Amino acid sequence: MDASKKAITQHIQNIINNEVLNMLIPEIIDCFKEFSLSRNDFFVKKGNVCSYFCFIESGILQHAVSVSGEEKTTYLALKNSFTSSLKSFLQQTPSPKNIKALSACKLWIINISDFKHLMKHNKAFYQFYYNLVEHQIFLIDDYRIDLLTLTPEERYKKLLVNEPKLLQEVPLHYLASFLGISTRHMSRIRKNIN
């Protein structure tokens, strides 16, 4: 196996978590192609069809929408994660959001035809995708509950505990948007906590 695909291989194995299916992983890996984005390049722009599902080997991708002319971060995809504008990718419809590189990114991408082929013919890929989506649903559920039940300070503290690398790698205004608070309020929270 190509040494440069070690990270994606290991991550897929971890998500599948079934040694019996490991022999099917090389077929999956062969469908992913290396792709790079420079800082501020778009993975997909709102209104365009998302062409790929990807693994982020390095870098950060910001998912964002525009609300009353203001950019709102809906998700931050970090190193060793998979992402896409999923509905756009799977249904081949216009993306409702932008996905942009906040830093230089090394990605491994798969197109829709290879994705669908693997879903139908590769039990390991099916299990990988099922486990990945299930995990994401849990995270989304937790995030929504946190927005309704935690104060901005509590959400920031939770981020400090659960995702400390976000605070080091992502500019303040993107984090504030992701947490649903203003940049000014975020600065005050950081000052009071630190």
Side-chain angles (χ1 to χ4, degrees):
M1 173 174 295
D2 184 350
S4 66
K5 293 186 177 181
K6 187 175 181 179
I8 186 175
T9 302
Q10 185 62 52
H11 205 66
I12 288 173
Q13 285 175 339
N14 291 343
I15 291 171
I16 293 171
N17 195 26
N18 182 336
E19 288 187 25
V20 174
L21 297 177
N22 282 351
M23 67 183 186
L24 300 174
I25 292 175
E27 179 188 7
I28 297 169
I29 301 305
D30 287 344
C31 290
F32 280 84
K33 308 299 178 221
E34 189 174 349
F35 186 77
S36 295
L37 289 174
S38 297
R39 184 174 182 267
N40 292 322
D41 283 352
F42 285 88
F43 183 71
V44 65
K45 286 186 178 181
K46 179 183 176 182
N48 293 338
V49 173
C50 187
S51 301
Y52 305 106
F53 181 82
C54 77
F55 172 75
I56 304 170
E57 183 172 318
S58 64
I60 303 167
L61 291 176
Q62 174 209 26
H63 293 231
V65 295
S66 180
V67 178
S68 301
E70 185 179 343
E71 182 180 74
K72 300 284 186 179
T73 300
T74 61
Y75 184 68
L76 294 164
L78 305 176
K79 176 182 177 179
N80 291 327
S81 65
F82 289 86
T83 197
S84 184
S85 181
L86 198 57
K87 184 177 179 182
S88 172
F89 174 71
L90 292 176
Q91 296 181 355
Q92 293 295 282
T93 57
S95 176
K97 61 186 171 183
N98 291 317
I99 301 178
K100 179 177 75 172
L102 295 185
S103 61
C105 293
K106 180 178 179 182
L107 310 175
W108 292 95
I109 59 172
I110 184 171
N111 64 41
I112 189 67
S113 61
D114 288 339
F115 186 95
K116 285 182 177 181
H117 174 80
L118 288 173
M119 284 295 285
K120 190 172 183 178
H121 300 289
N122 186 300
K123 188 174 181 179
F125 190 76
Y126 182 87
Q127 188 65 53
F128 152 76
Y129 186 67
Y130 179 91
N131 292 354
L132 181 71
V133 169
E134 182 179 69
H135 179 72
Q136 287 302 117
I137 290 169
F138 295 160
L139 292 175
I140 291 166
D141 196 35
D142 289 346
Y143 177 74
R144 286 180 175 166
I145 291 168
D146 289 351
L147 278 176
L148 295 172
T149 61
L150 300 179
T151 67
E153 290 83 4
E154 290 169 330
R155 291 196 303 269
Y156 179 77
K157 286 178 183 176
K158 186 174 180 179
L159 193 67
L160 273 174
V161 171
N162 296 332
E163 297 286 351
K165 62 184 176 182
L166 268 180
L167 299 170
Q168 299 162 0
E169 299 175 9
V170 178
L172 179 69
H173 63 284
Y174 295 122
L175 284 176
S177 177
F178 179 66
L179 291 172
I181 57 181
S182 70
T183 305
R184 174 183 271 166
H185 194 153
M186 178 78 151
S187 295
R188 272 183 288 203
I189 291 169
R190 286 178 69 167
K191 183 179 177 186
N192 291 338
I193 290 175
N194 298 333

